[in-house]
Amino acid sequence: MSVATLTAETTNAMNRTEIEKHRDCFRREIQAAKATGHGVHAAIRLEQKLAENPDDGGLHQAVGLAFADLALLRRARPVLETAQVLTPLCAEAEVALADCYIAARSGEHAAGLLRNAGLRNDSPCALRLRAAERLGRLGGQRLGWMICRKAVQDFPDEPQAWFDLSYFLGRVGSPFPQIESAAMRAIDLAPDVVCYRTSLASALFQLDRAADAYRLVRHFESAQINGVACDCCVERLGLIFESADDWRLARLCLERRMTLRQSRSREATIESDRSSGGMA
């Protein structure tokens, strides 16, 4: 479905599925146009379609979401603001508009949208966690905790919800046993996710529970260690292995740290060359 052939049907009452379908079509159209150097023209055609249908709230949401998906936040913001006036926004449009406000350093406008999107009963789990993460960046730790707590109630089998809850429990000063319990629930649901184990093991090690920390990561191999991109996390893993006299895994951590440092050094060299005009 192209912008040119989209019917002018009233979409104020679009359900979320319909908005998603239209958004995906618009996004693909812009992406195809960008590949041939005409992305701006495609965006302008969408804006012209909106001008032809100024009261179509669903259409405004779909176009605004397409712009936001492609990081065209300056174009997305006025479109989503208009949609907000015309019809209640779907949860994803609320988060997208909040992203526009965050990019414009208007965090106070973003917070209310994120709170609403995160606590709505019709919000998918992943969208709730997105809202919580952004609220955390804005300093809304307690709201982030509230959203994650509701997420694990509504989606008890989603490991990321439990892991994010453990993070926000720490941010609001909850007792460590509560933090550990939530993180362990995430690990039980997704035992192969490295970051869950690494994060909790690091916290346990800092609390002088080296043996408990080692039990979480003792089955790691090079694939798991090489999947850790944070130098500090790899360093702490190495210390955990050293504390358990597991010198094989400690050596793998040392090798991973060396690789990360070499990669940073190459990136710094490339950036320096670009800044000085040394590369085309």
Side-chain angles (χ1 to χ4, degrees):
M1 180 189 307
S2 70
V3 177
T5 60
L6 180 71
T7 63
E9 62 185 354
T10 300
T11 51
N12 280 332
M14 271 188 188
N15 61 35
R16 189 170 68 209
T17 301
E18 291 170 326
I19 290 173
E20 290 289 314
K21 180 180 68 176
H22 286 83
R23 183 268 299 275
D24 290 345
C25 290
F26 297 150
R27 183 180 61 224
R28 286 196 296 269
E29 182 168 345
I30 296 174
Q31 287 174 323
K34 285 177 69 176
T36 60
H38 297 93
V40 172
H41 297 121
I44 291 173
R45 286 199 301 273
L46 281 176
E47 291 169 338
Q48 290 171 341
K49 174 58 68 175
L50 294 176
E52 295 166 6
N53 299 274
D55 299 322
D56 196 332
L59 180 62
H60 277 76
Q61 286 194 71
V63 172
L65 283 168
F67 285 159
D69 284 349
L70 298 170
L72 302 173
L73 297 184
R74 290 185 179 180
R75 291 185 182 274
R77 176 176 173 175
V79 175
L80 291 171
E81 287 177 332
T82 300
Q84 189 178 32
V85 173
L86 295 171
T87 186
L89 295 180
C90 67
E92 188 160 5
E94 288 183 314
V95 174
L97 182 53
D99 284 343
C100 295
Y101 288 140
I102 291 171
R105 301 185 184 278
S106 298
E108 66 279 4
H109 292 106
L113 288 163
L114 293 170
R115 179 187 185 281
N116 192 53
L119 294 175
R120 284 172 61 157
N121 290 327
D122 65 338
S123 291
C125 185
L127 191 67
R128 299 186 195 195
L129 301 182
R130 256 177 72 192
E133 184 271 331
R134 282 150 174 76
L135 281 166
R137 280 197 274 145
L138 294 173
Q141 312 299 342
R142 193 159 191 84
L143 277 174
W145 163 72
M146 289 172 58
I147 290 171
C148 290
R149 185 180 62 175
K150 189 174 190 304
V152 299
Q153 292 170 349
D154 295 344
F155 304 95
D157 295 327
E158 287 290 339
Q160 190 65 45
W162 286 100
F163 184 72
D164 289 2
L165 176 62
S166 73
Y167 167 79
F168 279 106
L169 283 167
R171 299 296 291 178
V172 300
S174 298
F176 185 76
Q178 293 182 21
I179 300 169
E180 182 180 5
S181 177
M184 281 303 305
R185 179 60 177 154
I187 291 170
D188 289 342
L189 289 167
D192 295 329
V193 177
V194 171
C195 68
Y196 297 169
R197 290 182 177 273
T198 301
S199 178
L200 181 55
S202 177
L204 291 168
F205 187 74
Q206 289 179 294
L207 292 172
D208 295 325
R209 292 174 56 185
D212 292 332
Y214 178 65
R215 272 192 289 271
L216 283 172
V217 296
R218 64 183 175 181
H219 297 301
F220 276 11
E221 293 295 341
S222 59
Q224 286 76 30
I225 293 171
N226 289 337
V228 181
C230 168
D231 184 74
C232 292
C233 296
V234 180
E235 180 182 19
R236 190 158 293 141
L237 273 177
L239 293 174
I240 292 170
F241 295 136
E242 288 178 16
S243 72
D245 293 331
D246 191 333
W247 300 106
R248 183 181 68 87
L249 290 179
R251 178 179 55 79
L252 290 176
C253 287
L254 180 60
E255 291 172 355
R256 176 58 177 163
R257 292 189 68 198
M258 292 174 63
T259 299
L260 288 172
R261 289 175 181 175
Q262 290 169 358
S263 177
R264 285 198 303 270
S265 178
R266 284 195 299 270
E267 290 170 0
T269 300
I270 292 171
E271 187 60 34
S272 176
D273 287 343
R274 284 175 177 165
S275 299
S276 63
M279 291 182 66

